[in-house]
Amino acid sequence: MENPAAHRTRRDPRKVAMATSLFVSLLMLAGKLGAYFLTGSAAIFSDAAESVIHVIATAFVGFSLWYAVQPPDRGHPYGHGKIAYFSSGFEGSLILAAALSILYLSGKALIEGPALRQLGAGLAITGALALVNLALGVFLIRTGRRHNSLVLVSNGQHVLSDMWTSLGVVVGVALVWLTGLAWLDPVVAIAVGLNLAWMALRLIRRAYAGLMEQVDGQDSRAILSALDRAAQQRLIAGYHQVRHRRVNDQVWIEYHLQFDGGMQLAEAHARSHAVEDALLTLFPKDQVVVTAHLEPDAHDDAHPDGHAEPADPLRTAGLGF
């Protein structure tokens, strides 16, 4: 049997991953700034600028990870998980700002002409840092997926994008070094800026979808199929008013289940739990909260005149996600 004291003192892998990410991001920033001042390369500057943003974003992501796992309270009965989407949007906004600054400075360097020096040393530093970022990005994404943490996955994707940025910079600066074509340096930086802008927009779009509670079509189909099977197996007489929402690693599902009007409440309750158990198996890595409203199958007769229910979007819209 596991020692309870050891369990309590075990460090949360998500917190270890974020601490590692923050430490390495500081290392990246120092190394890339050193390479820029050594070479004067606009491409290497673009890589360093992205790392400045990454340090700020990682610090905010670390706070978000801590806040997201705080238990529900009176002011936040559904928990604090939505901060993960704020974190993703904040990180995307910072990356977009970095991309725009890179595009501006690179365009200026392209017009005025870059003054480059000691490119070999800059290449060695940037290449070594790219390998470190590759290892970190894979580690963060694997840890995030293992623990179902959008915060860690987003941060890991950012780190990998930083790695690809560094790799592109290495290739571009190497071409400048080998060919002597100095104008290639700001051109590479412009390409880096455009790539960062694209990644930033993707992060912002993901944050918007999460904050607006855009449902996953695959999740909707799975939930409705499970309820259809329950009806076919005669566990329930029918269902309606199905809704679901995801907040990071939590899935909230609610619906109305219909039963034969003469069925005992205890039996209906037991059948409702059987349906709930079937739904829990659909999301083995998530915390699932199911809220069921039980009612007789003669639904219209059971409600007084003038009773109106809200729209039933999943049923009326079908499965055309």
Side-chain angles (χ1 to χ4, degrees):
M1 181 179 294
E2 185 178 15
N3 187 342
H7 179 74
R8 287 194 299 269
T9 58
R10 181 188 301 159
R11 300 189 66 182
D12 188 334
R14 295 170 297 181
K15 294 180 180 179
V16 173
M18 279 311 308
T20 303
S21 179
L22 183 58
F23 172 77
V24 174
S25 66
L26 291 171
L27 177 66
M28 294 293 109
L29 175 58
K32 291 177 182 180
L33 286 176
Y36 166 65
F37 288 121
L38 187 66
T39 62
S41 165
I44 292 179
F45 169 78
S46 69
D47 202 15
E50 201 277 338
S51 288
V52 173
I53 298 303
H54 183 62
V55 169
I56 300 172
T58 300
F60 184 76
V61 164
F63 166 76
S64 300
L65 181 63
W66 167 80
Y67 190 75
V69 298
Q70 298 305 302
D73 54 37
R74 181 175 297 180
H76 307 87
Y78 289 96
H80 304 79
K82 275 201 172 182
I83 196 171
Y85 303 116
F86 281 106
S87 175
S88 182
F90 178 72
E91 189 167 5
S93 299
L94 289 178
I95 295 173
L96 183 60
L100 294 176
S101 67
I102 290 169
L103 291 173
Y104 170 75
L105 293 174
S106 301
K108 184 178 178 181
L110 183 62
I111 294 171
E112 297 177 353
L116 305 175
R117 56 193 179 272
Q118 301 190 60
L119 293 182
L123 277 172
I125 295 173
T126 306
L129 295 177
L131 293 177
V132 174
N133 260 349
L134 173 61
L136 176 63
V138 171
F139 167 68
L140 289 174
I141 290 176
R142 286 182 177 177
T143 303
R145 288 175 177 169
R146 187 179 303 119
H147 297 279
N148 208 19
S149 171
L150 172 65
V151 172
L152 281 182
V153 172
S154 296
N155 192 241
Q157 290 173 340
H158 187 175
V159 170
L160 285 185
S161 73
D162 190 20
M163 183 275 297
W164 286 112
T165 298
S166 298
L167 184 60
V169 167
V170 167
V171 173
V173 174
L175 288 175
V176 174
W177 189 34
L178 294 173
T179 65
L181 299 175
W183 58 266
L184 284 173
D185 182 72
V187 168
V188 169
I190 290 173
V192 169
L194 291 174
N195 179 64
L196 289 176
W198 171 249
M199 184 190 68
L201 292 175
R202 288 179 60 193
L203 285 173
I204 293 171
R205 181 177 180 274
R206 176 187 298 175
Y208 173 80
L211 290 172
M212 295 301 295
E213 297 188 352
Q214 179 179 334
V215 298
D216 184 287
Q218 184 174 350
D219 288 350
S220 294
R221 285 187 287 270
I223 292 170
L224 292 178
S225 295
L227 292 173
D228 285 337
R229 285 193 298 273
Q232 292 166 4
Q233 295 166 0
R234 302 297 178 89
L235 276 175
I236 59 176
Y239 67 91
H240 61 164
Q241 293 296 329
V242 182
R243 284 170 172 76
H244 68 95
R245 61 200 290 256
R246 173 179 289 277
V247 179
N248 201 15
D249 61 345
Q250 295 180 325
V251 178
W252 302 77
I253 306 171
E254 59 183 79
Y255 44 65
H256 293 190
L257 297 183
Q258 296 172 308
F259 298 91
D260 181 90
M263 183 177 294
Q264 293 292 321
L265 178 59
E267 174 65 18
H269 184 258
R271 294 189 180 201
S272 175
H273 268 289
V275 174
E276 180 177 336
D277 290 341
L279 289 171
L280 294 180
T281 63
L282 300 177
F283 306 96
K285 295 183 179 181
D286 297 302
Q287 300 177 38
V288 183
V289 179
V290 178
T291 302
H293 173 71
L294 279 57
E295 58 189 27
D297 55 357
H299 178 264
D300 293 338
D301 296 338
H303 291 287
D305 293 339
H307 172 80
E309 290 187 315
D312 196 351
L314 292 187
R315 295 299 293 167
T316 57
L319 296 178
F321 291 93

